[in-house]
Amino acid sequence: MLYETFNSIKESFGEDYFKSRIDPEILQNLNPKFELREYQKEALGRFDFYFSEYQKRKFPAQLLFHMATGSGKTLIMAANILQLYKHGYRNFIFFVNSVNIIEKTKDNFLNPLSEKYLFAPKIKFGEKEVFVKEVENFEAANPENINILFTTIQGLHIRLNYPKENSLTYEDFSDKKIMLISDEAHHLQTITKTQQEIELERSWEYTVERIFKSNFENVLLEFTATIDLGNQGIKQKYEDKIIFQYDLKQFRLDKYSKEIEVLQADLEPIDRALQAVVLSQYRRKIAEKHKLYLKPVLLLKSKSIKESKENYERFLAKIKNLTTRDVQEISSRAKGTVLEKAFDYFGKEKITFENLIRELQEDFAEEKCMLLDSENIDEEKQLKLNSLENRNNEIRAIFAVNMLNEGWDVLNLFDIVRLYDTRDGKWVRGKYKPGNTTMGEAQLIGRGARYFPFQLDETEDKYKRKFDEDIENELRIIEVLHYHSAHNPKYIEEIKSTLTEMGIIPEKHVQIDLFIKESFKKTDFWKNGVIFINDRIPNPRKEIFSLDDARIERIYTYELKTGELREEIILEEGEKSGTTKEVERSKEKYKFSDFGENIVRSALDKFDFYKFETLKIYFPHIKSVREFVSSTKYLGGVEIEISGPKDKLNKLTPIEKLEIALFVAKNISEKVKTNTSEFVGTNLFKARLLQQVFKDKKIKIDIDEVKNRELKDVNLAGKDWYAQNKFYGTEEEQNFIRFLDSFIEKLRQKYSDIALLRNEKCFQIFDFDEGRPFEPDFIMILKKRNKAISIYQVFIEPKGDQFKDKQGKFKDSKEGWKEKFLLELENKAVTDLELENKYFKLIGLPFYNEKLKKEFEEALENKILS
């Protein structure tokens, strides 16, 4: 498979080989609100490599991105459009199976006021501003714009095979290179099925094939979360086309999705819905408690349009006539479920059933519930559906049948209620084959599994789950989607089988209790010990008094165009050419200020960076923009070496001066942003009681991971130097434990007390250079008694071979900054606790790696035993 070939390339050239290829100009032209994730950078880097360097590239090119629902496929599409624009493509066709997806995508691509608009406010390549325009055909399209035709697959087929005046025709494609974008591309894959030739030619799939093959340079990009590689026809067709594979299982393992839990209830459908309403309100309150804005949405799914209308009416009536007895019945059934936590919280916060009912009647009033089906969809409902996360959108419950199984982007869906109890799958040779109903439900759950982004502080990744290692945390309710169904063990087995096959839920998981040992709780370390942790603060940049301090070069080179023309006769024997008079070239140095204040200011005005309030952030000591322009410490000291025709160099036109000034201003603004960080980690490490940082925890691990992560050959339960009751870790972490177990007697010769603690999301420290958060895997505390007590706090991080640089070390790898930070601690870290007869020292060691064990051991002996 193509993606496996690219995986091998990455293994050969390093983890960041593809990610490092992304053109900064592409990133600048995407909406800064949507920061690219690591896997998205990987996808874009692979795409760039395929078009720029891959020797087996096909013409025309067809590629498929197999990416999980919710993984940001549309953002990848927007970036692909920008990438191909730089390759000279101007005309794009976006097509999909559903009108609903068309409208949503138009909003994402064309409406700068949309919350989900994907491009930067201004798209600029060099100094040229580029506009995204919707077109009906490409004949009158502006060749400098990004021209996009949006259509359904079926609509495209009808337009081309039954053309009307001024509509798209096959002739439009003969002399233009086109990029075709197919979303939900599993609908396109039916072309692989056996058909009569005549049927094939009439099908809409064939229409796409005909467009695609009409020009040697055309590109067809397909995006799907669903591809059946078990179908040999599909597998063979896409063997050299799947460039990137990031399925739901990997998406979940990387913590970008909600977790899924099934809540069964042997109740009438509307009573199941009422349980979901109570749970939804609990979610809202937990979010509010932590100052997070969240309006959780429910989806109530019926089997038919008729049943959906009936359920909608029954639900509204139930809410309107809700009684304390109804709520009491839910509470009495809640034992042992997440609903028990909800009612415990209501009691603790003194929320009476009467108050809860009033809230529910307000929040789930008729105007805040939506009945949606093919018979009553309209533009207003469409807009509300696509903006459910907006603060001014008050919809809390949606009643639907099948309309939302595909193409629905929603982050705040937390409850799906199945208002029927039928099954349509079957078991074939011990394996469950889902029917259309079960598959549709599984796809819908996949859409609901999109993570609701939030962060409690700026160090957290807002797009990832935070409480897998702390499943008792009350905020975990915001990381879980609940699927409410009838008590039907056969159906539950079937839906879980389907979800497992899709990768939405783990095959099995175990809950593990990680406790501090009772024996360790009796030690002085635990009773009175402290751990030192630093803070992250905005970078004050107090040390920056000039461009030099910001590591900005002062001399730039610029080449003027010569204006030379040259004519050659290709098929003539011998070499004959006609050239305009040979241009004499030379070089001339200018100071930036030589161009005059008007031209310099005109250039700076093109960049928001040079507004005073922004400049002041990066150069805190300047008093005005005028000073920044004129002072020799700043732009006044910048020089440009210009090369070009000698007769032009001494009489530059105002336009040429402006172009040169823009070139320099752009370079400086980009380098300033990358050369200085937004944050720094403090040198001061503050003491916190050990028992306040390390607590008993419950963690959840996939069952197939348990075997790999469990340490088998060292009995840590019997080791007095290990503070916790259990350990689960990577192979390299296990290797470190084995090493320490063999080294411990050397430490006992010098230290009276030794404790190693595993950092399971207990604390972070922040590197000095950029304030990047770092969670060292282990902290070792050592105590020795001489005349005074010396306590060493040692930070340790095992790291596997996959993170090494090309030299087999870590210095130049993407994790290198962490090792650098660890090695700086001993000289830079200062503690805030001074006690008589007690001395504290913080030490960081190089990464532990089995192949570099000798270097680690030498560092350990030099820093701790010498």
Side-chain angles (χ1 to χ4, degrees):
M1 302 293 277
L2 179 63
Y3 70 86
E4 292 172 328
T5 301
F6 276 51
N7 291 347
S8 299
I9 293 171
K10 184 169 76 169
E11 285 175 17
S12 299
F13 292 96
E15 182 71 20
D16 292 335
Y17 181 69
F18 292 119
K19 295 174 195 169
S20 63
R21 299 181 60 88
I22 303 174
D23 186 338
E25 202 163 32
I26 302 302
L27 300 181
Q28 289 166 18
N29 284 318
L30 292 170
N31 190 333
K33 176 181 171 183
F34 303 116
E35 186 176 343
L36 286 175
R37 302 170 186 174
E38 290 302 302
Y39 65 84
Q40 291 172 323
K41 293 176 185 175
E42 175 78 14
L44 295 178
R46 288 178 177 223
F47 184 74
D48 177 80
F49 178 79
Y50 184 89
F51 277 89
S52 303
E53 292 186 31
Y54 188 52
Q55 294 181 354
K56 295 183 180 179
R57 177 193 162 171
K58 305 283 186 182
F59 289 92
Q62 180 179 357
L63 297 172
L64 184 137
F65 292 83
H66 181 202
M67 296 177 67
T69 298
S71 61
K73 295 191 293 291
T74 318
L75 183 60
I76 297 295
M77 292 176 201
N80 290 154
I81 287 171
L82 295 171
Q83 286 174 305
L84 285 188
Y85 185 91
K86 290 201 76 168
H87 281 277
Y89 289 76
R90 299 293 183 266
N91 300 316
F92 305 84
I93 299 177
F94 176 90
F95 62 96
V96 73
N97 193 48
S98 159
V99 174
N100 179 31
I101 300 175
I102 289 287
E103 294 307 315
K104 175 203 75 173
T105 309
K106 281 186 184 181
D107 205 42
N108 294 346
F109 281 1
L110 302 173
N111 180 10
L113 299 179
S114 168
E115 290 277 328
K116 298 176 182 178
Y117 183 63
L118 297 171
F119 295 108
K122 278 189 178 181
I123 301 174
K124 297 185 82 173
F125 288 97
E127 290 310 309
K128 181 178 74 174
E129 186 171 359
V130 173
F131 300 93
V132 182
K133 296 293 183 182
E134 181 182 5
V135 295
E136 289 298 316
N137 60 57
F138 299 120
E139 283 309 301
N142 185 326
E144 296 305 314
N145 288 344
I146 293 170
N147 303 298
I148 309 179
L149 188 152
F150 297 90
T151 178
T152 61
I153 303 176
Q154 302 88 336
L156 184 63
H157 175 69
I158 291 167
R159 283 189 194 203
L160 289 167
N161 292 287
Y162 308 97
K164 297 178 182 177
E165 189 175 353
N166 295 324
S167 72
L168 201 64
T169 67
Y170 284 114
E171 286 68 37
D172 284 348
F173 303 108
S174 58
D175 61 344
K176 295 179 180 66
K177 55 184 184 181
I178 307 287
M179 173 185 176
L180 299 103
I181 306 170
S182 170
D183 196 10
E184 304 293 349
H186 50 278
H187 291 291
L188 196 60
Q189 293 155 20
T190 58
I191 195 167
T192 60
K193 296 177 181 176
T194 304
Q195 301 174 37
Q196 293 293 328
E197 194 68 26
I198 188 70
E199 286 182 280
L200 180 63
E201 291 191 1
R202 289 175 182 167
S203 69
W204 37 262
E205 299 99 328
Y206 181 73
T207 297
V208 174
E209 283 282 298
R210 187 171 166 187
I211 297 169
F212 173 57
K213 291 180 177 176
S214 65
N215 190 301
F216 183 68
E217 294 186 84
N218 281 351
V219 177
L220 170 58
L221 298 187
E222 300 182 59
F223 294 82
T224 186
T226 311
I227 182 168
D228 182 11
L229 293 177
N231 179 316
Q232 285 305 307
I234 290 177
K235 184 177 181 180
Q236 188 175 354
K237 175 183 175 181
Y238 284 94
E239 193 164 14
D240 59 352
K241 298 176 178 65
I242 303 177
I243 190 171
F244 187 56
Q245 171 94 339
Y246 191 74
D247 59 18
L248 268 167
K249 181 176 182 180
Q250 194 58 50
F251 190 56
R252 178 182 56 77
L253 288 173
D254 288 345
K255 302 186 178 184
Y256 285 113
S257 71
K258 300 185 186 94
E259 289 283 28
I260 311 296
E261 291 183 6
V262 178
L263 199 59
Q264 304 176 58
D266 190 12
L267 294 171
E268 290 299 313
I270 294 305
D271 291 323
R272 288 205 299 275
L274 189 56
Q275 281 193 163
V277 163
V278 171
L279 189 56
S280 181
Q281 204 66 1
Y282 168 58
R283 259 191 197 91
R284 185 167 204 168
K285 289 188 173 299
I286 291 296
E288 286 172 352
K289 175 183 174 182
H290 292 273
K291 297 181 172 55
L292 300 171
Y293 173 76
L294 170 63
K295 180 210 64 179
V297 171
L298 286 81
L299 178 71
L300 301 104
K301 196 171 188 304
S302 300
K303 188 75 174 158
S304 68
I305 291 175
K306 180 175 177 289
E307 287 178 15
S308 188
K309 288 176 181 174
E310 291 169 356
N311 287 326
Y312 173 72
E313 288 162 4
R314 288 193 194 113
F315 177 84
L316 292 178
K318 186 77 172 180
I319 294 292
K320 186 176 180 181
N321 300 305
L322 200 56
T323 66
T324 54
R325 182 180 175 183
D326 292 324
V327 180
Q328 180 61 52
E329 284 182 0
I330 297 173
S331 177
S332 65
R333 293 189 299 265
K335 190 118 181 104
T337 72
V338 66
L339 281 162
E340 184 179 18
K341 291 183 180 179
F343 282 103
D344 286 348
Y345 179 81
F346 296 150
K348 182 180 167 188
E349 297 296 317
K350 296 182 171 53
I351 300 169
T352 65
F353 288 173
E354 289 82 359
N355 288 341
L356 180 61
I357 288 169
R358 279 195 290 273
E359 281 187 27
L360 297 180
Q361 288 174 334
E362 168 66 25
D363 279 17
F364 291 87
E366 183 173 357
E367 65 273 14
K368 296 175 184 176
C369 298
M370 180 190 291
L371 178 63
L372 182 75
D373 55 61
S374 56
E375 294 179 2
N376 65 19
I377 184 74
D378 57 32
E379 189 175 349
E380 184 183 354
K381 286 185 177 180
Q382 194 76 55
L383 289 170
K384 286 183 178 177
L385 263 183
N386 291 334
S387 61
L388 285 168
E389 296 109 24
N390 291 6
R391 286 175 181 263
N392 60 356
N393 184 322
E394 296 190 323
I395 297 294
R396 287 293 301 274
I398 298 168
F399 289 76
V401 183
N402 289 322
M403 278 196 72
L404 303 178
N405 290 4
E406 287 186 350
W408 185 33
D409 294 335
V410 60
L411 304 175
N412 55 338
L413 174 64
F414 285 93
D415 295 275
I416 299 174
V417 187
R418 189 178 194 253
L419 297 175
Y420 50 94
D421 190 24
T422 57
R423 298 162 48 216
D424 67 349
K426 56 185 177 181
W427 290 86
V428 180
R429 290 189 289 277
K431 188 172 182 181
Y432 180 67
K433 186 174 182 181
N436 290 336
T437 301
T438 309
M439 183 55 77
E441 290 161 355
Q443 288 174 344
L444 183 60
I445 291 169
R447 305 209 78 78
R450 292 169 180 240
Y451 189 74
F452 178 79
F454 71 94
Q455 56 187 166
L456 300 177
D457 63 62
E458 60 194 8
T459 67
E460 291 182 336
D461 187 333
K462 68 191 297 186
Y463 298 104
K464 282 190 173 185
R465 293 193 308 275
K466 298 154 187 66
F467 305 110
D468 285 14
E469 289 81 23
D470 187 11
I471 59 179
E472 293 295 297
N473 194 302
E474 65 182 3
L475 273 166
R476 191 168 179 272
I477 192 72
I478 301 177
E479 299 190 333
V480 177
L481 170 78
H482 283 94
Y483 184 63
H484 304 258
S485 83
H487 180 68
N488 182 334
K490 276 285 184 189
Y491 170 74
I492 296 303
E493 184 183 0
E494 290 163 4
I495 190 68
K496 283 188 173 180
S497 173
T498 305
L499 292 171
T500 302
E501 186 77 20
M502 293 172 68
I504 300 174
I505 61 173
E507 293 190 19
K508 286 184 182 173
H509 65 263
V510 291
Q511 185 172 296
I512 293 165
D513 295 324
L514 286 183
F515 295 151
I516 303 296
K517 289 177 182 173
E518 289 303 318
S519 57
F520 184 70
K521 288 182 178 178
K522 295 173 184 175
T523 65
D524 184 61
F525 269 160
W526 182 254
K527 291 176 182 176
N528 303 306
V530 295
I531 178 175
F532 293 93
I533 302 170
N534 71 336
D535 293 313
R536 178 165 95 154
I537 59 171
N539 186 356
R541 299 182 175 91
K542 290 179 181 176
E543 76 286 0
I544 296 183
F545 290 86
S546 66
L547 291 181
D548 294 335
D549 294 335
R551 293 177 288 129
I552 304 300
E553 59 196 44
R554 288 180 170 271
I555 299 176
Y556 294 85
T557 59
Y558 185 88
E559 188 166 345
L560 285 176
K561 301 291 183 291
T562 64
E564 178 183 358
L565 296 176
R566 188 176 182 87
E567 181 182 72
E568 291 190 2
I569 302 172
I570 294 174
L571 298 178
E572 192 78 19
E573 288 186 17
E575 289 190 14
K576 290 187 179 181
S577 64
T579 312
T580 56
K581 185 180 176 183
E582 192 69 34
V583 177
E584 187 180 352
R585 302 180 64 81
S586 184
K587 292 181 181 178
E588 192 74 39
K589 265 192 181 178
Y590 282 85
K591 287 186 175 178
F592 200 46
S593 54
D594 291 342
F595 293 157
E597 187 174 352
N598 284 345
I599 282 178
V600 170
R601 282 297 190 101
S602 294
L604 300 190
D605 286 346
K606 301 281 186 185
F607 303 91
D608 289 340
F609 175 82
Y610 292 103
K611 289 179 178 173
F612 180 68
E613 58 270 23
T614 305
L615 278 176
K616 188 78 174 168
I617 294 170
Y618 294 94
F619 300 97
H621 301 289
I622 62 167
K623 303 290 190 297
S624 65
V625 176
R626 182 182 290 274
E627 179 194 351
F628 186 76
V629 170
S630 60
S631 170
T632 54
K633 292 181 180 179
Y634 301 104
L635 295 186
V638 168
E639 294 183 346
I640 309 107
E641 184 177 81
I642 306 170
S643 60
K646 190 173 184 180
D647 61 336
K648 278 190 172 187
L649 288 177
N650 294 318
K651 46 182 181 181
L652 295 173
T653 67
I655 290 176
E656 287 169 335
K657 289 179 181 177
L658 180 60
E659 285 178 356
I660 297 166
L662 286 168
F663 166 78
V664 173
K666 183 173 185 247
N667 265 277
I668 290 174
S669 68
E670 289 173 355
K671 285 174 182 171
V672 168
K673 289 175 186 175
T674 55
N675 284 5
T676 62
S677 62
E678 294 296 315
F679 298 94
V680 292
T682 60
N683 290 57
L684 180 66
F685 281 65
K686 298 177 182 177
R688 289 181 60 190
L689 286 173
L690 193 68
Q691 58 185 272
Q692 289 180 346
V693 176
F694 286 89
K695 298 181 180 179
D696 295 342
K697 285 196 171 189
K698 293 180 187 291
I699 63 172
K700 198 160 82 169
I701 304 178
D702 287 7
I703 202 157
D704 53 352
E705 283 287 298
V706 172
K707 296 171 188 173
N708 299 328
R709 295 174 71 87
E710 190 173 14
L711 184 66
K712 298 179 180 67
D713 48 354
V714 179
N715 179 22
L716 287 176
K719 305 292 180 182
D720 61 353
W721 48 266
Y722 190 69
Q724 287 132 316
N725 66 326
K726 290 179 183 176
F727 168 80
Y728 293 87
T730 65
E731 182 181 358
E732 212 62 49
E733 290 163 355
Q734 292 178 39
N735 287 334
F736 163 70
I737 293 289
R738 294 185 190 101
F739 163 79
L740 189 61
D741 187 46
S742 67
F743 194 83
I744 206 78
E745 291 309 318
K746 286 187 179 180
L747 292 176
R748 290 196 197 279
Q749 293 171 17
K750 189 166 184 178
Y751 297 96
S752 59
D753 298 86
I754 303 168
L756 182 75
L757 293 105
R758 164 79 161 164
N759 179 18
E760 290 280 2
K761 300 279 181 187
C762 298
F763 71 90
Q764 293 178 324
I765 51 179
F766 304 93
D767 83 302
F768 301 122
D769 293 337
E770 297 185 29
R772 289 165 288 194
F774 173 33
E775 296 176 8
D777 288 323
F778 298 96
I779 183 166
M780 184 163 63
I781 307 174
L782 306 167
K783 182 197 288 187
K784 68 177 178 180
R785 296 175 185 271
N786 293 320
K787 293 179 182 177
I789 297 172
S790 296
I791 296 177
Y792 288 18
Q793 177 177 308
V794 186
F795 296 99
I796 300 168
E797 175 82 358
K799 196 66 71 176
D801 291 343
Q802 69 270 31
F803 296 104
K804 289 179 177 175
D805 57 26
K806 291 177 182 177
Q807 287 73 44
K809 307 280 186 177
F810 294 101
K811 183 180 178 183
D812 296 322
S813 74
K814 71 173 184 178
E815 297 287 283
W817 67 269
K818 293 179 182 176
E819 187 173 62
K820 175 177 178 284
F821 174 41
L822 289 174
L823 297 176
E824 290 172 339
L825 283 170
E826 189 172 356
N827 294 323
K828 287 189 176 182
V830 179
T831 61
D832 71 340
L833 190 60
E834 293 184 13
L835 299 175
E836 191 175 349
N837 292 326
K838 222 170 210 182
Y839 165 73
F840 297 98
K841 185 172 185 179
L842 307 188
I843 294 173
L845 293 171
F847 289 160
Y848 179 87
N849 178 269
E850 191 68 9
K851 292 176 183 173
L852 302 173
K853 180 164 64 175
K854 188 175 180 183
E855 294 177 22
F856 178 87
E857 187 171 358
E858 287 174 358
L860 183 61
E861 288 179 343
N862 290 336
K863 290 173 181 285
I864 293 172
L865 294 181
S866 60

